Amino acid sequence: MKVMTAMSGGVDSSVTAYLLQNAGAEVCGATLYLTGERQSDAAQAAAFLNIPFYEFDRREAFEQNVIAAFAESYESGETPNPCIVCNKLIKFGLLLDEALAMGQDYLATGHYARLRRDRATGRILLMRAKDPRKDQTYMLYRLSQHQLSHAMFPLGDFTKPQIREIAASIGIQTAHKPDSQDICFVPDGDYAAFLERRRGTAYPEGDFVNEEGAVLGRHRGMIRYTIGQRKGLGIALGEPAFVLQKDAAHNRVVLGKEEKLFTRRIAARDANWIACDKPTDGMRVTAKTRYSQKEAEAVIYVTEQGFTAEFSEPQRAATPGQAMVLYDGDVVIGGGTIIGSDE
């Protein structure tokens, strides 16, 4: 079995390659050159494991498919999740293409997720990881059956402490390095500053308004705000105010009371179904509308744009641009990109 491992030099991808190597697979390592600096840590990790290593320069494709889409989404009033796009189009798009062209059978990554074939349907099922604190199926919901059929997630049956123990036992230097919480092309987490540098100028100021349209004050550029935000608004109204909506067409940010953030019905577009061709209307699921959020019970209805989820309990701050991912137990049914409240 020939397996290419996507390597970053971090503990997860290094142990992924080691586990496959230890299981008898013919393993090589690879990384994609996507931003301004080459990934020397990945090459060092591959050398430590004594496996072949390849690097592919895909900066132009990453700029067009991920960074430009990220900027466009923010400018349209959304709050995007570029890692989901990268997994679909770059890691399991371009890198998987390279792996298959080289005669590899699989592309393995350090994601915490599991795969299983459904004997009844023949479909590859994407399933939650053993460690619920590290589960990354939310970030993988857009993968196709073709991509999943050539994917391997060796870490899915381990907890993070177990992976760190394995890394330490074989001498991997990054065994206890903290996990990165930032987007790779915004390492300091300041999305607004990144977008303004890329644009070459600051985004225009605009009005804070209430739900009736009355002007409350001035904002510092719409990209600096997200649905549900309270802190950092820079405006005093005498009572707590939260971002309810971003009106990109008029460069306005709508503020109001927190209770207005809750909704039972959330709509999504661009659905991708993994466990089935298309679910039946009225299917009961659990759904997550943010990566770090615990899922909640809902009933789904397929629409022309994608689907609508009707939740048993009101959900807070459904944010356009974020993903809504649906589960049946540990199995990912599918998901889509949130449009907003459907009420």
Side-chain angles (χ1 to χ4, degrees):
M1 183 172 61
K2 296 182 178 181
V3 185
M4 176 181 284
T5 301
M7 301 187 72
S8 66
V11 62
D12 289 332
S13 61
S14 299
V15 173
T16 293
Y18 167 76
L19 291 172
L20 290 165
Q21 189 181 41
N22 205 41
E26 184 179 325
V27 182
C28 68
T31 193
L32 292 167
Y33 179 23
L34 301 176
T35 56
E37 296 182 3
R38 280 188 152 83
Q39 182 53 267
S40 60
D41 289 348
Q44 292 172 6
F48 175 81
L49 294 170
N50 195 30
I51 60 175
F53 179 76
Y54 306 93
E55 181 184 68
F56 305 100
D57 186 344
R58 294 295 180 269
R59 286 174 292 175
E60 183 177 346
F62 189 70
E63 163 64 33
Q64 293 176 353
N65 291 287
V66 179
I67 298 179
F70 174 81
E72 182 180 345
S73 181
Y74 253 115
E75 290 167 358
S76 71
E78 296 182 338
T79 302
N81 194 321
C83 297
I84 291 174
V85 178
C86 183
N87 285 330
K88 169 70 175 179
L89 300 180
I90 307 298
K91 290 179 183 175
F92 285 96
L94 299 180
L95 188 55
L96 177 58
D97 289 346
E98 293 289 353
L100 296 178
M102 291 173 59
Q104 303 293 312
D105 300 307
Y106 297 96
L107 174 66
T109 70
H111 287 102
Y112 286 78
R114 293 182 290 179
L115 296 171
R116 177 171 62 83
R117 183 177 291 277
D118 186 333
R119 292 182 180 179
T121 65
R123 299 180 74 90
I124 303 297
L125 301 180
L126 176 63
M127 301 179 64
R128 264 195 269 253
K130 177 181 177 180
D131 186 347
R133 295 166 299 178
K134 291 297 296 180
D135 175 63
Q136 291 173 301
T137 51
Y138 180 92
M139 298 294 188
L140 299 167
Y141 86 89
R142 286 189 63 182
L143 299 189
S144 68
Q145 284 294 302
H146 167 73
Q147 291 169 320
L148 291 171
S149 70
H150 292 285
M152 295 186 77
F153 304 124
L155 306 191
D157 287 315
F158 294 87
T159 65
K160 185 65 180 232
Q162 288 175 323
I163 294 303
R164 291 197 184 280
E165 288 176 11
I166 293 171
S169 72
I170 62 174
I172 292 177
Q173 294 183 346
T174 56
H176 300 291
K177 182 180 178 181
D179 293 338
S180 172
Q181 302 297 321
D182 295 317
I183 295 172
C184 68
F185 57 88
V186 193
D188 62 357
D190 191 340
Y191 309 137
F194 169 81
L195 290 169
E196 289 184 336
R197 287 195 302 270
R198 185 177 183 277
R199 186 173 185 251
T201 183
Y203 285 89
E205 295 183 352
D207 290 330
F208 281 125
V209 299
N210 62 20
E211 291 182 272
E212 288 72 43
V215 176
L216 304 173
R218 299 286 286 175
H219 68 67
R220 298 179 295 118
M222 195 178 63
I223 62 163
R224 298 181 182 276
Y225 309 94
T226 190
I227 307 299
Q229 181 177 337
R230 176 186 176 187
K231 295 181 179 180
L233 299 181
I235 185 172
L237 299 176
E239 61 180 357
F242 297 81
V243 175
L244 303 183
Q245 183 183 347
K246 294 163 68 175
D247 180 358
H250 301 95
N251 191 28
R252 301 188 305 181
V253 176
V254 181
L255 303 181
K257 296 181 179 180
E258 185 174 24
E259 63 194 49
K260 296 287 186 159
L261 289 170
F262 288 86
T263 181
R264 287 181 181 271
R265 290 176 61 88
I266 301 174
R269 58 174 168 82
D270 302 330
N272 181 58
W273 305 114
I274 293 178
C276 55
D277 289 330
K278 185 185 293 185
T280 57
D281 282 346
M283 183 178 185
R284 294 188 175 276
V285 301
T286 57
K288 291 177 68 168
T289 56
R290 287 180 184 267
Y291 172 61
S292 59
Q293 184 184 64
K294 184 178 180 180
E295 66 272 12
E297 293 183 353
V299 175
I300 55 172
Y301 301 91
V302 177
T303 65
E304 288 187 8
Q305 287 183 297
F307 63 92
T308 293
E310 187 171 307
F311 288 84
S312 300
E313 298 292 334
Q315 301 298 298
R316 185 184 186 277
T319 303
Q322 290 289 296
M324 179 161 52
V325 180
L326 312 176
Y327 295 84
D328 178 8
D330 285 340
V331 176
V332 177
I333 299 168
T337 302
I338 293 173
I339 303 170
S341 171
D342 192 27
E343 293 183 326

